[in-house]
Amino acid sequence: MHKGRLEAFSDGVIAIIITIMVLELKIPHTDNIAGLKPLWPVLMSYMLSFIYVGIYWNNHHHMLFAVEKINGTVLWANLHLLFWLSLIPFVTAWMGENHFTKWPVVLYGIVLIMNAIAYTILAAILMKREGKESKLSKAFGKDWKSKLCVLIYAVAIGMAFITTTISLMLYLLVAIIWFIPDLRIERVLTGSEKY
C-alpha cells in the first residue's frame, strides 16, 4: 500500500490532539494580568505536551519519509501510536488542573512511556518491512536514544512517588533530548551518514 493515506490520517489526528489540548485552556474572567497566575500549571503542562506532540509529529514524518510502502501491520502499529498520543490531552489537563500532584504526574509518565514504546514498535515494524539494509534501518541503528528515554520515563514515574518536581524535570529532559533535531534519517537520505 502507498503511505499517503496513513500520513494524512496521522497528521489529522495529531492536529486534533493539539486542538483538544488548547481548548482545555480556560480564559480568565478578568482583564487583569494577575488573572493568569492561577493558570500557570495548566499553561506549563500544555507547553510540555505541545512540545511532545510536535516531536512525535516531526519524527513520525521523518520516519515515514524514509519508507516506500506500508502494509496492514504498519497501519495497526500506527493506530497503536495514535491511541497513546490521543491520551495526551487528558493527562495534560489532569496534571495541570491538579498542580502536578503525584497521581496525575504518574499517569502522565505512563502515557509518555507507552507513546515511546508504541513509536519504537512502529519503527521496528517499518524497519523489518524495509529490510536490514534499508535507509530507515541504517538511520535508526541501535536506537540508543529511544531506549535511554524509556529508561528515563520509568525513573520519572518512580520518582513521582517521592517528588513530582524531579519527575517533571526528567520529562522535560526527554523532551530536550528529542527536541534537539534527530537528523539520523536526513543524514542517511542525503548520503552523509556516519556509522
Side-chain angles (χ1 to χ4, degrees):
M1 291 181 264
H2 294 288
K3 59 186 180 179
R5 290 193 66 196
L6 177 123
E7 290 175 305
F9 178 74
S10 299
D11 287 349
V13 170
I14 291 169
I16 291 167
I17 289 168
I18 290 172
T19 303
I20 291 169
M21 284 193 316
V22 79
L23 291 175
E24 286 295 320
L25 300 177
K26 304 300 180 211
I27 299 168
H29 296 291
T30 177
D31 64 351
N32 189 325
I33 195 76
L36 294 174
K37 188 177 179 182
L39 299 177
W40 79 265
V42 175
L43 289 170
M44 296 304 292
S45 61
Y46 168 76
M47 287 171 40
L48 180 61
S49 293
F50 183 89
I51 290 168
Y52 265 111
V53 173
I55 288 166
Y56 274 103
W57 176 77
N58 191 348
N59 288 318
H60 186 269
H61 170 73
H62 276 82
M63 186 167 54
L64 288 177
F65 187 78
V67 300
E68 295 298 320
K69 296 193 179 216
I70 59 167
N71 61 16
T73 306
V74 172
L75 292 175
W76 281 110
N78 193 69
L79 278 173
H80 179 232
L81 173 62
L82 293 177
F83 169 77
W84 289 107
L85 283 171
S86 73
L87 292 177
I88 289 178
F90 171 75
V91 293
T92 299
W94 195 37
M95 187 171 69
E97 286 292 326
N98 290 287
H99 298 243
F100 308 107
T101 54
K102 177 176 66 177
W103 285 110
V105 171
V106 167
L107 188 59
Y108 188 79
I110 290 170
V111 168
L112 290 180
I113 203 169
M114 292 308 299
N115 272 289
I117 291 168
Y119 182 83
T120 302
I121 291 169
L122 176 59
I125 290 169
L126 286 169
M127 285 186 285
K128 183 178 179 183
R129 171 143 176 70
E130 294 287 304
K132 290 183 180 180
E133 296 303 314
S134 69
K135 292 176 182 177
L136 187 65
S137 294
K138 289 178 182 178
F140 272 89
K142 294 189 188 323
D143 199 17
W144 65 267
K145 201 172 183 180
S146 295
K147 293 172 186 169
L148 172 65
C149 292
V150 168
L151 177 64
I152 294 171
Y153 285 140
V155 171
I157 292 166
M159 288 304 299
F161 292 97
I162 300 167
T163 173
T164 60
T165 302
I166 293 175
S167 299
L168 294 168
M169 289 181 356
L170 290 171
Y171 297 153
L172 183 60
L173 174 63
V174 173
I176 290 168
I177 288 170
W178 283 100
F179 192 78
I180 298 167
D182 187 2
L183 301 176
R184 295 178 294 181
I185 295 172
E186 286 183 22
R187 276 191 229 120
V188 168
L189 292 176
T190 60
S192 61
E193 70 270 16
K194 294 176 183 174
Y195 300 109

